[in-house]
Amino acid sequence: MRLKLLSPGEMNESQRQTYDESIAGKRGKPPAPMMAWLNSPEMARHATRLGEVLRFDTIFPARLSEIAILVTARHWTAHYEWYAHKRLALAGGMRPEIIEAIRDRRTPEFDDAKGKMIYDVAKSLHEGHGVEKGLYDEAVKLLGERGVVEVIGLCGYYTLVSMTLNTFEFGLPEGEVSELA
């Protein structure tokens, strides 16, 4: 770990307010990258709020939103993010074969069109740096404009998360080994 994470007793007032707000939120605890973001308390406050919206308040159930998150974690080879969200994807009902395919950089076989579309849009955003017109039109037709905006939000936010976790070398919990090569 490249950064000393502050304990609540070491935080200044602004950091502590952000920390306390995260505990009172839907997660019930601070997300791991927020502990690094606390070095910029206002950024931490806004990023954590955005993360809560994207985790809990999109139009997608967890099994679908986690597709975009896992594609992002895999794109960035974000070991901690993969570790955390694989479990959330499974708990949300995502089939293990989809997770394994994303991990192995293979295109998964989806049972539903929305899952495939979220995957295609997320891959396009990361690998193509945008979404070409045909895919965009299909995505809007299937997911709606709000859905497309939320997939972009998921990929963007979890890119920030992945960059933070990778830059500061957040480790996995003791005894855990990364599945990502």
Side-chain angles (χ1 to χ4, degrees):
M1 180 72 148
R2 292 178 165 169
L3 184 67
K4 180 188 181 305
L5 302 182
L6 301 174
S7 69
E10 298 171 304
M11 295 175 190
N12 66 36
E13 184 178 335
S14 183
Q15 291 167 327
R16 184 58 194 240
Q17 287 174 352
T18 299
Y19 178 84
D20 289 345
E21 183 180 308
S22 73
I23 291 171
K26 292 181 181 180
R27 288 183 180 101
K29 62 182 183 176
M34 190 203 77
M35 298 306 292
W37 298 337
L38 281 172
N39 284 283
S40 176
E42 203 56 27
M43 180 194 141
R45 181 173 289 114
H46 291 290
T48 302
R49 288 175 180 167
L50 175 61
E52 187 171 293
V53 168
L54 291 168
R55 248 315 277 299
F56 300 106
D57 297 325
T58 68
I59 61 172
F60 303 117
R63 69 178 175 74
L64 293 179
S65 62
E66 291 294 337
I67 294 168
I69 297 168
L70 288 177
V71 168
T72 302
R74 186 64 189 108
H75 176 78
W76 288 97
T77 311
H79 303 282
Y80 187 94
E81 194 64 18
W82 182 268
Y83 162 80
H85 282 273
K86 174 186 176 184
R87 281 140 192 79
L88 293 170
L90 288 168
M94 189 184 297
R95 292 189 353 257
E97 308 83 60
I98 292 173
I99 296 168
E100 291 165 13
I102 294 170
R103 180 198 63 210
D104 297 341
R105 299 185 192 271
R106 293 181 286 108
T107 302
E109 292 186 26
F110 291 95
D111 292 339
D112 67 82
K114 285 185 179 181
K116 181 176 182 346
M117 183 58 67
I118 292 168
Y119 175 83
D120 289 345
V121 170
K123 289 289 282 185
S124 181
L125 287 168
H126 289 300
E127 294 177 5
H129 309 284
V131 179
E132 61 90 28
K133 183 172 176 14
L135 178 58
Y136 172 82
D137 290 344
E138 290 178 38
V140 169
K141 188 175 184 179
L142 186 61
L143 305 175
E145 288 177 337
R146 177 178 173 175
V148 173
V149 167
E150 289 179 349
V151 172
I152 294 166
L154 285 161
C155 291
Y157 173 76
Y158 284 98
T159 290
L160 171 63
V161 168
S162 296
M163 289 176 158
T164 301
L165 297 172
N166 285 354
T167 298
F168 296 113
E169 297 180 346
F170 276 68
L172 297 179
E174 192 166 329
E176 297 292 335
V177 177
S178 178
E179 296 181 5
L180 305 180

